[in-house]
Amino acid sequence: MSFYAAFGTVLLLLAVTAPAALLFGLGGAVAARSRFLPVSWFGRGYIAIVRGVPDIAFFLFFVIALDQGIEYLRHKVRCPDWTDPVRQGNDFVVCDLAKMPLSSSPQWMHEVYGFWLAVFTFAIVFGAFAGNVLFGAMRSVPRAQLETAEAYGMTPRQTFWRILMPQMWVYALPGLSNLWMVLIKATPLLFLLGVEDIVYWARELGGSKAPRFTDYPHPDWRMWYFLALLVFYLVFTKVSEVVLDRLTRRLSRGQATLAGEAQRKEGVAA
Amino acid sequence: MSCFETLQSYAFRSLGYGERLLPRSDFTLCDQFVLIGSGLIWNVYFGVLAVLGGFVFANALAMGKASRRPALRLPATWFIFLFRGSPLFIQFFFAYFLFLSLKSVSPLFDPLSSAAVGALFVLFLNTSAYSAEIFYGALQSIPKGDMEAANAYGISGWSRFRRIMFPTMMRLAWPSYTNEAIFLFHATTLVFFSGFPAWRQQGDALYYANYFADKTFNPFIPYPILAFYFILLTLTVIWAFGRVNQRLNKHVPQERRQKIKLKMQLIR
């Protein structure tokens, strides 16, 4: 049963992470475009650093770093009169009240907390990628469009919201759909972050059961479980491909791009 | 232990030479640098062999996908979809358990369940699929004029492929292929985190980095060291591929040459 529920975990992760990453990306791209230098550096730095380092190193790093960061902050607030150093040699010690989640809280709290930590990590990493795509897309909106907006007397903010934002998406879509595919394929890494996802259950349930201890003795089925996962991902990829294709067609309608032009001609011919 | 002694005992630890026991306590910066660097040998081993083998197979696959005969085209297309459409992580897991069950069929398959052979095999197939897609794309964008010129000169068949199509295809594909190679090197870090066991704690760079992070509860030292090594590795790959790119573009006027643009991708 948990195995099937784990598919839900994966889908939930995708549903939550995609918008979150898009938001991070948008923030990064807007920051990188900013005319105020430190903000621009921050945006560019964020995009450049996260993109340059191997993926799973980041996942392994961020989860511990975030966890410790949160606990450290809580430690500072909750237990101000704690005198021992937090780093004692190889140990990371905070007072009991600062433990996240509290050691007295039930098991499901721990799982939910782990899940959100994973979502946050995914969002940071994929936000950098989305940021790069969106940054490029904002730059490929034709200059003339923005100049026209200025000529009509729009303020920079109006230009951004009314002209740049609506037009940017069609340029960003190829990159973003690529990113979505990558995101789908990144979900098994949840397993590394300690969330009990489908990979975890495939290993657990498929493993050979000691015949004497369970009601359902069976040999090593892990191979078949993983085959099922493989098929699941393939189908998911195929479906996304079809959906994104349709979306691209819909978005290019009436745009000043080659695809939009082709659609216009089709319409005229028909 | 001085740093030099550490170097002596751990430099080839990942291959099984030198000190058996990993450091247990009092980790120095030197320990971490040496051991993680030692693990990097595995990453280089997987990466180099998979790229070399994958290059040949990818060309065959690209030709297959471009073929007009369905008997060649369909298997190639499906192979590429299979490996590009599913996570490498799952591929590793599936392959490992597949190899385990093959083991009971015949001792012939024994070496496949070790990381050194089995994981290399999976990486080889995976990079072949990704590179084949790149080569296929390049094959489709060979200028029509080149082929017409070749036909006009009476060059056809195999010699047309060898002299005209292949060099142009390589030249067009090379920048993306460089990215694919870099990406493959990054993907080698997944090996010991999937099913494949690290025999006698002989793991790759990430395996040791993770070991230190687990033991010290401090991710802020081993992972940046790992990142440092990978940046070095990436620069080396870029340099080597850049040399080939220069050679491929020798005859092209300076301003029309394609520069290799770095485009990182995450997870495959």
Side-chain angles (χ1 to χ4, degrees), chain B residues 238-257:
Chain B
I238 293 172
W239 175 79
F241 275 70
R243 292 297 295 273
V244 179
N245 194 39
Q246 270 181 6
R247 169 113 177 88
L248 285 170
N249 279 297
K250 228 172 175 179
H251 62 289
V252 180
Q254 196 81 44
E255 66 272 15
R256 269 182 41 217
R257 286 191 189 171

Tab-separated table of all heavy atoms in Angstrom, chain B residues 238-257:
chain	number	residue	atom	x	y	z
B	238	ILE	N	36.718	20.480	-20.742
B	238	ILE	CA	36.510	21.579	-21.688
B	238	ILE	C	37.771	21.803	-22.510
B	238	ILE	O	37.720	21.984	-23.738
B	238	ILE	CB	36.141	22.880	-20.940
B	238	ILE	CG1	34.767	22.729	-20.295
B	238	ILE	CG2	36.138	24.067	-21.881
B	238	ILE	CD1	34.414	23.872	-19.387
B	239	TRP	N	38.915	21.739	-21.839
B	239	TRP	CA	40.173	21.963	-22.543
B	239	TRP	C	40.372	20.885	-23.624
B	239	TRP	O	40.638	21.192	-24.793
B	239	TRP	CB	41.339	21.932	-21.551
B	239	TRP	CG	42.666	22.031	-22.209
B	239	TRP	CD1	43.255	23.170	-22.678
B	239	TRP	CD2	43.546	20.954	-22.515
B	239	TRP	NE1	44.450	22.866	-23.248
B	239	TRP	CE2	44.664	21.522	-23.164
B	239	TRP	CE3	43.508	19.580	-22.301
B	239	TRP	CZ2	45.733	20.731	-23.612
B	239	TRP	CZ3	44.564	18.806	-22.736
B	239	TRP	CH2	45.656	19.382	-23.378
B	240	ALA	N	40.199	19.619	-23.246
B	240	ALA	CA	40.437	18.530	-24.193
B	240	ALA	C	39.473	18.618	-25.374
B	240	ALA	O	39.870	18.499	-26.538
B	240	ALA	CB	40.279	17.179	-23.491
B	241	PHE	N	38.208	18.850	-25.064
B	241	PHE	CA	37.226	18.931	-26.149
B	241	PHE	C	37.445	20.173	-26.996
B	241	PHE	O	37.165	20.177	-28.187
B	241	PHE	CB	35.800	18.890	-25.595
B	241	PHE	CG	35.300	17.503	-25.363
B	241	PHE	CD1	35.818	16.733	-24.342
B	241	PHE	CD2	34.331	16.953	-26.182
B	241	PHE	CE1	35.381	15.444	-24.134
B	241	PHE	CE2	33.889	15.657	-25.977
B	241	PHE	CZ	34.414	14.912	-24.949
B	242	GLY	N	37.953	21.239	-26.362
B	242	GLY	CA	38.244	22.456	-27.105
B	242	GLY	C	39.331	22.224	-28.147
B	242	GLY	O	39.266	22.752	-29.256
B	243	ARG	N	40.336	21.396	-27.784
B	243	ARG	CA	41.388	21.073	-28.751
B	243	ARG	C	40.804	20.373	-29.973
B	243	ARG	O	41.127	20.706	-31.112
B	243	ARG	CB	42.449	20.167	-28.098
B	243	ARG	CG	43.268	20.836	-27.031
B	243	ARG	CD	44.088	21.982	-27.584
B	243	ARG	NE	45.103	21.535	-28.531
B	243	ARG	CZ	46.317	21.144	-28.190
B	243	ARG	NH1	46.668	21.171	-26.923
B	243	ARG	NH2	47.179	20.755	-29.091
B	244	VAL	N	39.937	19.407	-29.722
B	244	VAL	CA	39.311	18.693	-30.831
B	244	VAL	C	38.474	19.651	-31.660
B	244	VAL	O	38.484	19.611	-32.894
B	244	VAL	CB	38.434	17.534	-30.301
B	244	VAL	CG1	37.761	16.816	-31.445
B	244	VAL	CG2	39.264	16.577	-29.484
B	245	ASN	N	37.762	20.540	-30.955
B	245	ASN	CA	36.914	21.501	-31.647
B	245	ASN	C	37.740	22.377	-32.583
B	245	ASN	O	37.338	22.644	-33.719
B	245	ASN	CB	36.180	22.359	-30.613
B	245	ASN	CG	35.039	23.134	-31.220
B	245	ASN	OD1	34.334	22.616	-32.085
B	245	ASN	ND2	34.867	24.367	-30.794
B	246	GLN	N	38.918	22.786	-32.103
B	246	GLN	CA	39.805	23.596	-32.948
B	246	GLN	C	40.165	22.848	-34.221
B	246	GLN	O	40.131	23.377	-35.319
B	246	GLN	CB	41.077	23.911	-32.181
B	246	GLN	CG	40.996	25.187	-31.390
B	246	GLN	CD	42.291	25.467	-30.675
B	246	GLN	OE1	43.279	24.753	-30.858
B	246	GLN	NE2	42.276	26.482	-29.852
B	247	ARG	N	40.511	21.573	-34.036
B	247	ARG	CA	40.929	20.749	-35.170
B	247	ARG	C	39.773	20.591	-36.167
B	247	ARG	O	39.963	20.692	-37.370
B	247	ARG	CB	41.381	19.394	-34.634
B	247	ARG	CG	41.584	18.348	-35.666
B	247	ARG	CD	43.044	17.953	-35.807
B	247	ARG	NE	43.178	16.878	-36.795
B	247	ARG	CZ	43.324	17.099	-38.080
B	247	ARG	NH1	43.376	18.314	-38.551
B	247	ARG	NH2	43.425	16.076	-38.924
B	248	LEU	N	38.560	20.389	-35.617
B	248	LEU	CA	37.401	20.193	-36.490
B	248	LEU	C	37.070	21.463	-37.268
B	248	LEU	O	36.533	21.398	-38.372
B	248	LEU	CB	36.177	19.794	-35.660
B	248	LEU	CG	36.127	18.363	-35.128
B	248	LEU	CD1	34.994	18.218	-34.148
B	248	LEU	CD2	35.972	17.389	-36.269
B	249	ASN	N	37.376	22.605	-36.676
B	249	ASN	CA	36.991	23.878	-37.282
B	249	ASN	C	38.126	24.549	-38.044
B	249	ASN	O	38.009	25.700	-38.428
B	249	ASN	CB	36.482	24.834	-36.201
B	249	ASN	CG	35.055	24.563	-35.838
B	249	ASN	OD1	34.164	24.692	-36.669
B	249	ASN	ND2	34.837	24.133	-34.623
B	250	LYS	N	39.213	23.812	-38.251
B	250	LYS	CA	40.421	24.411	-38.811
B	250	LYS	C	40.160	25.158	-40.117
B	250	LYS	O	40.687	26.228	-40.340
B	250	LYS	CB	41.430	23.296	-39.067
B	250	LYS	CG	42.811	23.588	-38.562
B	250	LYS	CD	43.610	22.341	-38.712
B	250	LYS	CE	45.047	22.532	-38.362
B	250	LYS	NZ	45.755	21.254	-38.501
B	251	HIS	N	39.325	24.569	-40.970
B	251	HIS	CA	39.134	25.122	-42.304
B	251	HIS	C	38.069	26.211	-42.344
B	251	HIS	O	37.882	26.862	-43.358
B	251	HIS	CB	38.722	24.004	-43.250
B	251	HIS	CG	37.429	23.369	-42.848
B	251	HIS	ND1	37.315	22.571	-41.745
B	251	HIS	CD2	36.186	23.452	-43.381
B	251	HIS	CE1	36.075	22.161	-41.619
B	251	HIS	NE2	35.365	22.683	-42.595
B	252	VAL	N	37.367	26.398	-41.236
B	252	VAL	CA	36.262	27.356	-41.241
B	252	VAL	C	36.803	28.744	-40.935
B	252	VAL	O	37.658	28.889	-40.073
B	252	VAL	CB	35.221	26.939	-40.176
B	252	VAL	CG1	34.066	27.920	-40.153
B	252	VAL	CG2	34.732	25.539	-40.444
B	253	PRO	N	36.325	29.775	-41.668
B	253	PRO	CA	36.789	31.133	-41.382
B	253	PRO	C	36.576	31.489	-39.916
B	253	PRO	O	35.582	31.064	-39.310
B	253	PRO	CB	35.896	32.010	-42.269
B	253	PRO	CG	35.341	31.109	-43.293
B	253	PRO	CD	35.409	29.719	-42.791
B	254	GLN	N	37.526	32.261	-39.398
B	254	GLN	CA	37.565	32.566	-37.964
B	254	GLN	C	36.214	32.977	-37.393
B	254	GLN	O	35.778	32.445	-36.374
B	254	GLN	CB	38.565	33.701	-37.733
B	254	GLN	CG	38.982	33.857	-36.297
B	254	GLN	CD	40.051	32.848	-35.929
B	254	GLN	OE1	40.981	32.632	-36.677
B	254	GLN	NE2	39.901	32.221	-34.774
B	255	GLU	N	35.536	33.888	-38.085
B	255	GLU	CA	34.332	34.448	-37.446
B	255	GLU	C	33.142	33.491	-37.495
B	255	GLU	O	32.170	33.681	-36.790
B	255	GLU	CB	33.975	35.810	-38.076
B	255	GLU	CG	33.538	35.766	-39.512
B	255	GLU	CD	34.731	35.855	-40.452
B	255	GLU	OE1	35.877	35.665	-39.997
B	255	GLU	OE2	34.519	36.106	-41.643
B	256	ARG	N	33.243	32.437	-38.337
B	256	ARG	CA	32.091	31.528	-38.393
B	256	ARG	C	32.270	30.315	-37.493
B	256	ARG	O	31.409	29.451	-37.433
B	256	ARG	CB	31.859	31.083	-39.833
B	256	ARG	CG	30.892	32.012	-40.561
B	256	ARG	CD	30.624	31.554	-41.973
B	256	ARG	NE	30.458	30.113	-42.079
B	256	ARG	CZ	30.900	29.400	-43.116
B	256	ARG	NH1	31.556	29.983	-44.077
B	256	ARG	NH2	30.703	28.099	-43.156
B	257	ARG	N	33.434	30.269	-36.831
B	257	ARG	CA	33.669	29.108	-35.980
B	257	ARG	C	32.683	29.058	-34.827
B	257	ARG	O	32.325	30.081	-34.262
B	257	ARG	CB	35.088	29.154	-35.414
B	257	ARG	CG	36.070	28.810	-36.466
B	257	ARG	CD	37.427	28.599	-35.892
B	257	ARG	NE	38.346	28.475	-36.997
B	257	ARG	CZ	39.657	28.446	-36.860
B	257	ARG	NH1	40.174	28.560	-35.662
B	257	ARG	NH2	40.429	28.310	-37.896
